[in-house]
Every structure is written in C-alpha cells, then in structure tokens.
Amino acid sequence: MPVEYPANGGLIAEHKAVAQRRWRVDVSHMGDIRIRTGKTPGGALAAVQHLSMNDAAKLALGQAQYSAMLYPQGTFVDDVIVHRMGEDDFFVCDQRRNARKRYFLVRENTKEMDCVVEDYSDAYTQLAIQGPQAIEVMKKLTDANVAAIRIIGLRMEQFAGCRAG
C-alpha cells in the first residue's frame, strides 16, 4: 500500500476526501484473534488483561480500544485493537505481518488461563468506511443500525448479503 499518491495530490488530497465525503479502506490484512470464555466466566477477560496494556474491563459490549500487546515481562509486541464482543468474548486485531506467530504467542501466554483462543485471520474480511457520508453508504448495504456503531466499534451483522459469525 503506497504512502503517497503524488499524481492525485498525495496525503493532503486523501485526508480531504475522508474529511469531506467518505473513504473506504480494506483492512483485511489485520490479524484476528478471538479470545472467549472457557469453562469459568472471566477467563477471556483475564487473558486479555494479561496480554494488553489497557483495561479491557472498561469496554462496553461492541466497544473497542486501541492498545498494545505485551510480552509477559511487559515489553512491547505490537499495537492492537481490542473489541469486546460479549461479556467474556474478545476480538483482538493486530497487524497481519506475523499473524500466525502472534496467534501462537497469545496461545502460549494464556495456556494456564481458562479461555479459548482461535485464529480468525483467514475467516473475516474487514472494511473501514470513514467520513461524514459513511453511515449513508453503510445503510445501503445492511439492515443493521449502523448509526449505533461507535468509533472503532465492532458489530457482527449481515453486510452486503453476507452473514458474520
């Protein structure tokens, strides 16, 4: 993905397009790890709290936060977005590069916790639609209440005829 498009005005023109109209970005390159409860409620939350820097307990259902994934000793792995899908069900998105390596890192560092860790990197497509016209564009593609989606929020809904799971 190029950083500059000089023939089209570069970053400034791109920024203006998003701010004034709408913009779509295919973010399917993100790695997707689902961490959900095991047999004991609270296991997934404990795992996410152990792996990431911010307090995931503060997230409401459907809300997300930008955070950092950490090694057990507290050093930085990568930046992530942690989505709360359910009471004890989280979706962690990170950079696709090294996605399998990151998945195994999460599994290894949560193996003593009562949670289920699944790699969804090849199962989902992500599309970011941004700008003041984004809601109107989305309304044409889904019956979901897209106006209720918060900034960096997550909804598993039918979109353009495809059902999310």
Side-chain angles (χ1 to χ4, degrees):
M1 181 168 65
V3 176
E4 289 278 348
Y5 299 89
N8 297 333
L11 295 174
I12 293 172
E14 186 176 332
H15 170 76
K16 286 181 179 177
V18 174
Q20 295 169 0
R21 297 181 306 280
R22 67 197 169 281
W23 194 255
R24 78 246 173 260
V25 181
D26 181 355
V27 288
S28 298
H29 65 279
M30 302 294 277
D32 305 309
I33 300 170
R34 186 173 183 181
I35 304 172
R36 58 185 173 84
T37 193
K39 295 177 183 169
T40 308
L45 176 60
V48 171
Q49 298 289 61
H50 178 70
L51 293 165
S52 65
M53 187 174 73
N54 294 345
D55 186 1
K58 293 181 178 180
L59 292 172
L61 299 184
Q63 192 176 17
Q65 66 185 6
Y66 180 73
S67 189
M69 184 182 290
L70 305 174
Y71 289 109
Q73 65 271 28
T75 57
F76 184 81
V77 176
D78 203 353
D79 58 333
V80 294
I81 298 177
V82 177
H83 300 270
R84 189 169 208 161
M85 298 173 56
E87 191 60 38
D88 202 32
D89 190 355
F90 296 86
F91 205 72
V92 179
C93 299
D94 69 353
Q95 295 299 321
R96 180 65 178 209
R97 70 183 189 289
N98 298 321
R100 291 293 291 168
K101 183 178 176 183
R102 195 103 59 241
Y103 164 69
F104 289 116
L105 175 78
V106 169
R107 278 192 36 202
E108 178 64 24
N109 287 298
T110 59
K111 67 183 177 189
E112 302 299 323
M113 299 178 179
D114 190 9
C115 65
V116 177
V117 177
E118 301 165 295
D119 183 3
Y120 278 74
S121 298
D122 293 330
Y124 287 103
T125 296
Q126 295 184 52
L127 185 64
I129 300 179
Q130 306 165 355
Q133 296 175 356
I135 290 175
E136 293 308 312
V137 169
M138 294 291 292
K139 283 181 181 178
K140 295 175 186 176
L141 299 169
T142 183
D143 292 330
N145 181 8
V146 293
I149 299 174
R150 313 216 0 127
I151 294 174
I152 68 167
L154 173 73
R155 293 280 295 264
M156 296 290 195
E157 299 283 351
Q158 182 163 326
F159 177 78
C162 299
R163 177 79 186 145

